[in-house]
Amino acid sequence: MRLENLAAKYFAMSEEVWERHANPWSVWTRYSCLPLLIACIWWREILDIWFWPILVVLMAWIWVNPRCFKKPPHTRHWTSQSVLGERILIYQPEKIPPHHSKMLDVISILLCIFTVLCVAGLYFHEVISTCVGAVGLILTKTWFLDRMVWLYHEVENANPMKKPINSKK
């Protein structure tokens, strides 16, 4: 099972939730989660008793976020198309061209490396490892989303009869 499938299952992503998550506000506000989560863990001693409530609120926001926004009026935004590409990756893996599969493996490896680096930096309270890991995670996640847009366009162009969500056609 790919990490994306596990995440979709954990987040209970129904069809309606995926459509709401295609709203650009949902995608961009989720970008704030990683830096806030890292900051919370970094300042765990300073936050003292407030660490756990803040951590719970952040984790709840990550789960609730895709449900908080309306379906977008269209899916022409880069962020909307990244979500649509991610749905293809998870639910229609047979449609993924080989050149995407190879690059997604590279992206997954980089995400693992940067996650380990960031977690180790947070555990040992080491600034450079934490920052390099965090920046690497954000840049690699952005690369992943861009790859999902590319995948979405390739699959949609191969099947022009399929209508994307909220399409006006």
Side-chain angles (χ1 to χ4, degrees):
M1 177 180 276
R2 288 189 70 100
L3 183 60
E4 297 86 9
N5 299 51
L6 185 63
K9 186 176 180 178
Y10 173 74
F11 285 107
M13 298 290 282
S14 67
E15 185 70 25
E16 181 183 347
V17 174
W18 276 108
E19 289 176 0
R20 288 170 167 258
H21 187 40
N23 187 318
W25 279 100
S26 176
V27 176
W28 291 123
T29 55
R30 280 186 70 138
Y31 260 83
S32 68
C33 295
L34 182 63
L36 291 173
L37 191 58
I38 290 169
C40 177
I41 295 168
W42 181 264
W43 288 313
R44 59 192 176 269
E45 287 94 21
I46 294 169
L47 293 171
D48 195 31
I49 197 162
W50 290 102
F51 167 74
W52 290 106
I54 292 170
L55 185 64
V56 168
V57 166
L58 283 170
M59 298 306 285
W61 171 244
I62 291 169
W63 192 86
V64 168
N65 175 284
R67 295 157 176 78
C68 287
F69 300 93
K70 298 185 303 185
K71 293 182 203 176
H74 58 80
T75 56
R76 293 185 302 265
H77 292 284
W78 178 86
T79 52
S80 299
Q81 292 173 7
S82 72
V83 170
L84 296 174
E86 199 170 358
R87 281 176 54 187
I88 292 167
L89 175 68
I90 293 169
Y91 300 113
Q92 300 170 327
E94 70 282 355
K95 292 186 176 183
I96 301 169
H99 61 278
H100 288 295
S101 293
K102 291 175 187 173
M103 203 50 64
L104 288 169
D105 289 341
V106 170
I107 290 170
S108 293
I109 290 166
L110 287 173
L111 284 170
C112 288
I113 290 168
F114 288 124
T115 299
V116 167
L117 190 62
C118 188
V119 168
L122 288 168
Y123 180 79
F124 293 110
H125 224 257
E126 205 279 311
V127 175
I128 300 209
S129 298
T130 303
C131 290
V132 170
V135 169
L137 279 169
I138 291 168
L139 291 175
T140 307
K141 179 63 176 180
T142 304
W143 181 19
F144 170 78
L145 294 178
D146 192 57
R147 179 59 63 156
M148 292 299 97
V149 173
W150 185 3
L151 173 67
Y152 168 72
H153 283 285
E154 279 190 23
V155 171
E156 285 302 305
N157 287 339
N159 187 8
M161 300 303 289
K162 187 173 180 258
K163 196 166 114 176
I165 57 172
N166 296 333
S167 174
K168 298 297 182 188
K169 293 181 181 177

PDB file of all heavy atoms in Angstrom, residues 2-3 6 10 20 22 26 48 68 135 144 150 164 166:
ATOM      1  N   ARG A   2       0.643   2.131  -0.944  1.00  0.00           N
ATOM      2  CA  ARG A   2       1.411   3.372  -1.021  1.00  0.00           C
ATOM      3  C   ARG A   2       1.034   4.288   0.144  1.00  0.00           C
ATOM      4  O   ARG A   2      -0.060   4.199   0.695  1.00  0.00           O
ATOM      5  CB  ARG A   2       1.152   4.082  -2.343  1.00  0.00           C
ATOM      6  CG  ARG A   2       1.777   3.398  -3.544  1.00  0.00           C
ATOM      7  CD  ARG A   2       1.649   4.271  -4.753  1.00  0.00           C
ATOM      8  NE  ARG A   2       2.506   5.432  -4.646  1.00  0.00           N
ATOM      9  CZ  ARG A   2       3.692   5.548  -5.251  1.00  0.00           C
ATOM     10  NH1 ARG A   2       4.143   4.567  -5.981  1.00  0.00           N
ATOM     11  NH2 ARG A   2       4.401   6.657  -5.139  1.00  0.00           N
ATOM     12  N   LEU A   3       1.940   5.170   0.490  1.00  0.00           N
ATOM     13  CA  LEU A   3       1.718   6.119   1.577  1.00  0.00           C
ATOM     14  C   LEU A   3       0.470   6.969   1.318  1.00  0.00           C
ATOM     15  O   LEU A   3      -0.287   7.265   2.234  1.00  0.00           O
ATOM     16  CB  LEU A   3       2.952   7.010   1.743  1.00  0.00           C
ATOM     17  CG  LEU A   3       2.926   8.011   2.879  1.00  0.00           C
ATOM     18  CD1 LEU A   3       2.780   7.293   4.215  1.00  0.00           C
ATOM     19  CD2 LEU A   3       4.187   8.843   2.869  1.00  0.00           C
ATOM     20  N   LEU A   6      -2.665   5.059   2.267  1.00  0.00           N
ATOM     21  CA  LEU A   6      -2.784   4.998   3.718  1.00  0.00           C
ATOM     22  C   LEU A   6      -3.299   6.330   4.274  1.00  0.00           C
ATOM     23  O   LEU A   6      -4.190   6.355   5.123  1.00  0.00           O
ATOM     24  CB  LEU A   6      -1.433   4.644   4.343  1.00  0.00           C
ATOM     25  CG  LEU A   6      -1.416   4.433   5.851  1.00  0.00           C
ATOM     26  CD1 LEU A   6      -2.285   3.243   6.235  1.00  0.00           C
ATOM     27  CD2 LEU A   6       0.012   4.223   6.317  1.00  0.00           C
ATOM     28  N   TYR A  10      -6.733   6.994   6.288  1.00  0.00           N
ATOM     29  CA  TYR A  10      -6.676   7.573   7.631  1.00  0.00           C
ATOM     30  C   TYR A  10      -7.525   8.841   7.728  1.00  0.00           C
ATOM     31  O   TYR A  10      -8.208   9.066   8.710  1.00  0.00           O
ATOM     32  CB  TYR A  10      -5.229   7.878   8.002  1.00  0.00           C
ATOM     33  CG  TYR A  10      -5.086   8.626   9.300  1.00  0.00           C
ATOM     34  CD1 TYR A  10      -5.282   7.994  10.518  1.00  0.00           C
ATOM     35  CD2 TYR A  10      -4.773   9.976   9.308  1.00  0.00           C
ATOM     36  CE1 TYR A  10      -5.158   8.685  11.714  1.00  0.00           C
ATOM     37  CE2 TYR A  10      -4.655  10.670  10.493  1.00  0.00           C
ATOM     38  CZ  TYR A  10      -4.853  10.025  11.692  1.00  0.00           C
ATOM     39  OH  TYR A  10      -4.739  10.714  12.860  1.00  0.00           O
ATOM     40  N   ARG A  20     -14.218  18.960  -1.792  1.00  0.00           N
ATOM     41  CA  ARG A  20     -13.982  20.143  -0.952  1.00  0.00           C
ATOM     42  C   ARG A  20     -12.485  20.446  -0.843  1.00  0.00           C
ATOM     43  O   ARG A  20     -12.081  21.603  -0.827  1.00  0.00           O
ATOM     44  CB  ARG A  20     -14.564  19.924   0.446  1.00  0.00           C
ATOM     45  CG  ARG A  20     -16.061  19.947   0.488  1.00  0.00           C
ATOM     46  CD  ARG A  20     -16.550  19.479   1.860  1.00  0.00           C
ATOM     47  NE  ARG A  20     -17.931  19.779   2.036  1.00  0.00           N
ATOM     48  CZ  ARG A  20     -18.406  20.799   2.744  1.00  0.00           C
ATOM     49  NH1 ARG A  20     -17.589  21.608   3.358  1.00  0.00           N
ATOM     50  NH2 ARG A  20     -19.685  21.003   2.839  1.00  0.00           N
ATOM     51  N   ALA A  22     -10.343  20.052  -3.046  1.00  0.00           N
ATOM     52  CA  ALA A  22      -9.876  20.655  -4.299  1.00  0.00           C
ATOM     53  C   ALA A  22      -9.969  22.185  -4.262  1.00  0.00           C
ATOM     54  O   ALA A  22      -9.463  22.860  -5.161  1.00  0.00           O
ATOM     55  CB  ALA A  22     -10.667  20.106  -5.486  1.00  0.00           C
ATOM     56  N   SER A  26      -8.124  25.160   0.840  1.00  0.00           N
ATOM     57  CA  SER A  26      -7.818  23.954   1.612  1.00  0.00           C
ATOM     58  C   SER A  26      -6.356  23.557   1.436  1.00  0.00           C
ATOM     59  O   SER A  26      -5.660  23.280   2.410  1.00  0.00           O
ATOM     60  CB  SER A  26      -8.732  22.808   1.169  1.00  0.00           C
ATOM     61  OG  SER A  26      -8.393  21.616   1.833  1.00  0.00           O
ATOM     62  N   ASP A  48       5.591  23.970  27.559  1.00  0.00           N
ATOM     63  CA  ASP A  48       5.313  23.220  28.777  1.00  0.00           C
ATOM     64  C   ASP A  48       3.958  22.517  28.695  1.00  0.00           C
ATOM     65  O   ASP A  48       3.751  21.700  27.813  1.00  0.00           O
ATOM     66  CB  ASP A  48       5.408  24.162  29.988  1.00  0.00           C
ATOM     67  CG  ASP A  48       5.493  23.403  31.308  1.00  0.00           C
ATOM     68  OD1 ASP A  48       6.057  22.283  31.309  1.00  0.00           O
ATOM     69  OD2 ASP A  48       4.981  23.925  32.311  1.00  0.00           O
ATOM     70  N   CYS A  68     -13.477  21.734   5.603  1.00  0.00           N
ATOM     71  CA  CYS A  68     -13.884  23.079   6.020  1.00  0.00           C
ATOM     72  C   CYS A  68     -14.280  24.010   4.881  1.00  0.00           C
ATOM     73  O   CYS A  68     -14.881  25.042   5.126  1.00  0.00           O
ATOM     74  CB  CYS A  68     -12.749  23.754   6.790  1.00  0.00           C
ATOM     75  SG  CYS A  68     -12.512  23.075   8.420  1.00  0.00           S
ATOM     76  N   VAL A 135      12.566  22.404   5.189  1.00  0.00           N
ATOM     77  CA  VAL A 135      12.589  23.027   3.855  1.00  0.00           C
ATOM     78  C   VAL A 135      12.541  21.942   2.787  1.00  0.00           C
ATOM     79  O   VAL A 135      11.816  22.060   1.789  1.00  0.00           O
ATOM     80  CB  VAL A 135      13.826  23.947   3.691  1.00  0.00           C
ATOM     81  CG1 VAL A 135      14.011  24.380   2.249  1.00  0.00           C
ATOM     82  CG2 VAL A 135      13.693  25.170   4.599  1.00  0.00           C
ATOM     83  N   PHE A 144       5.860  17.146  -5.483  1.00  0.00           N
ATOM     84  CA  PHE A 144       4.849  16.101  -5.581  1.00  0.00           C
ATOM     85  C   PHE A 144       3.535  16.666  -6.130  1.00  0.00           C
ATOM     86  O   PHE A 144       2.928  16.095  -7.034  1.00  0.00           O
ATOM     87  CB  PHE A 144       4.618  15.452  -4.208  1.00  0.00           C
ATOM     88  CG  PHE A 144       3.436  14.529  -4.161  1.00  0.00           C
ATOM     89  CD1 PHE A 144       3.523  13.253  -4.688  1.00  0.00           C
ATOM     90  CD2 PHE A 144       2.238  14.946  -3.594  1.00  0.00           C
ATOM     91  CE1 PHE A 144       2.422  12.397  -4.644  1.00  0.00           C
ATOM     92  CE2 PHE A 144       1.143  14.097  -3.551  1.00  0.00           C
ATOM     93  CZ  PHE A 144       1.228  12.824  -4.077  1.00  0.00           C
ATOM     94  N   TRP A 150       0.645  17.525 -13.396  1.00  0.00           N
ATOM     95  CA  TRP A 150       1.102  16.954 -14.654  1.00  0.00           C
ATOM     96  C   TRP A 150       0.371  15.636 -14.932  1.00  0.00           C
ATOM     97  O   TRP A 150      -0.133  15.391 -16.033  1.00  0.00           O
ATOM     98  CB  TRP A 150       2.613  16.759 -14.568  1.00  0.00           C
ATOM     99  CG  TRP A 150       3.312  16.288 -15.800  1.00  0.00           C
ATOM    100  CD1 TRP A 150       2.777  16.048 -17.037  1.00  0.00           C
ATOM    101  CD2 TRP A 150       4.701  15.986 -15.916  1.00  0.00           C
ATOM    102  NE1 TRP A 150       3.739  15.613 -17.897  1.00  0.00           N
ATOM    103  CE2 TRP A 150       4.937  15.566 -17.235  1.00  0.00           C
ATOM    104  CE3 TRP A 150       5.766  16.016 -15.021  1.00  0.00           C
ATOM    105  CZ2 TRP A 150       6.188  15.185 -17.690  1.00  0.00           C
ATOM    106  CZ3 TRP A 150       7.015  15.644 -15.482  1.00  0.00           C
ATOM    107  CH2 TRP A 150       7.221  15.247 -16.795  1.00  0.00           C
ATOM    108  N   PRO A 164     -14.351  16.520 -15.297  1.00  0.00           N
ATOM    109  CA  PRO A 164     -13.838  16.745 -13.949  1.00  0.00           C
ATOM    110  C   PRO A 164     -14.907  17.350 -13.040  1.00  0.00           C
ATOM    111  O   PRO A 164     -15.906  17.871 -13.524  1.00  0.00           O
ATOM    112  CB  PRO A 164     -12.672  17.725 -14.155  1.00  0.00           C
ATOM    113  CG  PRO A 164     -12.898  18.339 -15.481  1.00  0.00           C
ATOM    114  CD  PRO A 164     -13.745  17.389 -16.287  1.00  0.00           C
ATOM    115  N   ASN A 166     -17.108  19.709 -10.933  1.00  0.00           N
ATOM    116  CA  ASN A 166     -17.518  21.105 -11.084  1.00  0.00           C
ATOM    117  C   ASN A 166     -17.170  21.695 -12.431  1.00  0.00           C
ATOM    118  O   ASN A 166     -16.998  22.898 -12.569  1.00  0.00           O
ATOM    119  CB  ASN A 166     -16.935  21.978  -9.968  1.00  0.00           C
ATOM    120  CG  ASN A 166     -17.468  21.562  -8.625  1.00  0.00           C
ATOM    121  OD1 ASN A 166     -18.569  21.023  -8.542  1.00  0.00           O
ATOM    122  ND2 ASN A 166     -16.712  21.798  -7.596  1.00  0.00           N
TER     123      ASN A 166
END
